[in-house]
Amino acid sequence: MAFLADSLARIKPSATIAVTDRARELKAAGRDIIGLGAGEPDFDTPEHIKEAAIRAIREGKTKYTAIDGIPELKAAIAAKFRRENHIDYKPEEISVGTGGKQVLFNALMATLNPGDEVIIPAPYWVSYPEIVALAGATPVPLKTTIASGFKILPDALDKAITPKTKWLILNSPSNPSGAAYTRAEIGGLTDVLMKHGHVWVLTDDMYEHLVYDGFVFTTPVEVEPALKSRTLTLNGVSKAYAMTGWRIGYGAGPAMLIKAMAKLQSQSTTNPSSISQWAAVEALNGPQDFIPKNAEIFKKRRDLVVSMLNQAKGLSCPRPEGAFYVFPSCAGTIGKTTTGGVKIATDEDFVTALLEEEGVAVVQGSAFGLAPHFRISYATSTELLEEACSRIQRFCAGLR
Ligand SMILES: Cc1ncc(COP(=O)(O)O)c(C=O)c1O
């Protein structure tokens, strides 16, 4: 009898973490490595948020709390949804977890049975198909193209839906492509969803505040309020507030689902850190002015990276609407040989050779379900981005 669970054999470890680990190893061995693999802002958590956490510790707010969030945080989240998304959620329709990832995990685990299908537009965030598979259900990737701006079209969605479809996972702006859907584009998808009453929508709005050039963020329930009774709107403080390590994410949806998620959480982690919850209250209720300032910095970096990558031989990089990622195609490098003598047959070969020969860590597109591409996180300093892109240009120029 095998000791390890069968369910473990169905999933892969996170590829984004794997590349970060390899880059760390090379760095420890003394190599000059630029890591563009990590999915977190390089900014520090704002002072007023840190102070709120310190205050919480001093005031003894250091005990177990309500499983899925303190009332003060649920109130701050409800106010955020009203203020920014024009949606009303009651406290019993809100769930707070240890990061957006736990909220996602709870929602899928609480609803999926073997045989259920989950439609996941590709390229996708690596965790979606793995959590679906862990739950014993079937991920159904729906591939997009550069030509469609890495967005699914209504027709393709309509065709992908079967009687077994339980969820559609939407992620806008997207990790890894940075693509964000306009209100009209979301409308095209919600029209299709209105025809299929059995399909639930999990919209991952984690990168909501990171949109550029005046792009207006929209979430499905805002466009089609009738979908509210079968939508989980996922968000969190990790990206917009530079709070990845604090581990606070939240979801809002029908009370029946929220209750099921709390039941699951009550038998796993219990409440998210009480101190982090108080910090998140301050993040959501406190000053928001640093968010557009950070977004302006990200926009400049995006423009720099897109322009430099498009000057690299064999690469083609669209200019995404949001997040802090670009997802260039490396199709023009396939079949070539590097100056180090490595033949590039796949995007994985491309990123491995780039790391070994030029010390730049990126993640292969195949990890996100779309090849041959790679993902660059531009959440790092302009100087490092310039140096990394110069190295990528040199690497590509050396291909024969
Ligand atoms: C698309 C997307 N959703 C959710 C998350 C999870 O965020 P958290 O750190 O809050 O768990 C991430 C983190 O990388 C992400 O990229």
Side-chain angles (χ1 to χ4, degrees), residues 84-87 170 172-173 180-187 203 205 208 211 215-224:
E84 295 177 350
N85 312 108
H86 321 106
I87 310 172
L170 271 182
S172 164
Y181 290 78
T182 63
R183 191 181 181 99
E185 286 165 343
I186 290 185
T203 175
D205 300 353
E208 164 175 15
V211 287
F215 184 91
V216 179
F217 170 85
T218 322
T219 194
V221 173
E222 227 178 333
V223 179
E224 183 46 86

Side-chain angles (χ1 to χ4, degrees), residues 88-334:
D88 274 314
Y89 284 113
K90 299 188 191 74
E92 63 271 25
E93 294 174 317
I94 293 171
S95 179
V96 184
T98 300
K101 198 178 221 171
Q102 187 182 24
V103 179
L104 173 78
F105 189 90
N106 288 344
L108 294 174
M109 282 292 170
T111 54
L112 291 176
N113 289 312
D116 289 344
E117 294 174 358
V118 178
I119 298 176
I120 307 174
Y124 42 69
W125 181 41
V126 290
S127 294
Y128 301 141
E130 302 304 329
I131 298 174
V132 168
L134 195 60
T138 308
V140 179
L142 190 54
K143 282 198 179 169
T144 63
T145 59
I146 282 203
S148 71
F150 300 116
K151 297 175 203 175
I152 55 165
L153 300 174
D155 225 29
L157 173 62
D158 201 28
K159 289 201 181 86
I161 293 173
T162 75
K164 291 180 179 169
T165 307
K166 197 158 232 174
W167 289 98
L168 160 69
I169 300 184
L170 271 182
N171 173 217
S172 164
S174 150
N175 175 5
S177 72
Y181 290 78
T182 63
R183 191 181 181 99
E185 286 165 343
I186 290 185
L189 300 178
T190 55
D191 284 351
V192 171
L193 290 161
M194 288 310 289
K195 294 195 307 185
H196 301 277
H198 67 291
V199 179
W200 281 60
V201 186
L202 202 162
T203 175
D204 180 343
D205 300 353
M206 199 56 80
Y207 294 91
E208 164 175 15
H209 292 291
L210 302 178
V211 287
Y212 315 119
D213 305 322
F215 184 91
V216 179
F217 170 85
T218 322
T219 194
V221 173
E222 227 178 333
V223 179
E224 183 46 86
L227 276 177
K228 191 179 174 208
S229 59
R230 50 186 169 104
T231 299
L232 181 72
T233 304
L234 182 76
N235 212 316
V237 294
S238 294
K239 315 284 173 168
Y241 299 90
M243 291 176 70
T244 46
W246 298 75
R247 311 307 304 129
I248 295 291
Y250 54 87
M256 163 278 286
L257 171 63
I258 297 298
K259 200 169 153 196
M261 289 161 61
K263 183 176 173 187
L264 199 60
Q265 193 160 303
S266 77
Q267 296 299 5
S268 57
T269 56
T270 311
N271 60 278
S273 152
S274 58
I275 300 150
S276 296
Q277 289 190 69
W278 284 103
V281 170
E282 176 59 24
L284 294 174
N285 288 347
Q288 308 288 309
D289 53 317
F290 61 91
I291 296 178
K293 285 186 197 146
N294 287 353
E296 195 49 37
I297 296 171
F298 280 134
K299 175 201 138 61
K300 290 206 178 94
R301 292 174 179 174
R302 176 203 62 175
D303 290 344
L304 168 81
V305 170
V306 168
S307 142
M308 285 188 78
L309 290 179
N310 279 323
Q311 290 164 43
K313 220 172 96 195
L315 301 187
S316 162
C317 185
R319 183 182 306 266
E321 293 88 350
F324 40 66
Y325 308 104
V326 291
F327 198 64
S329 160
C330 56
T333 69
I334 303 297

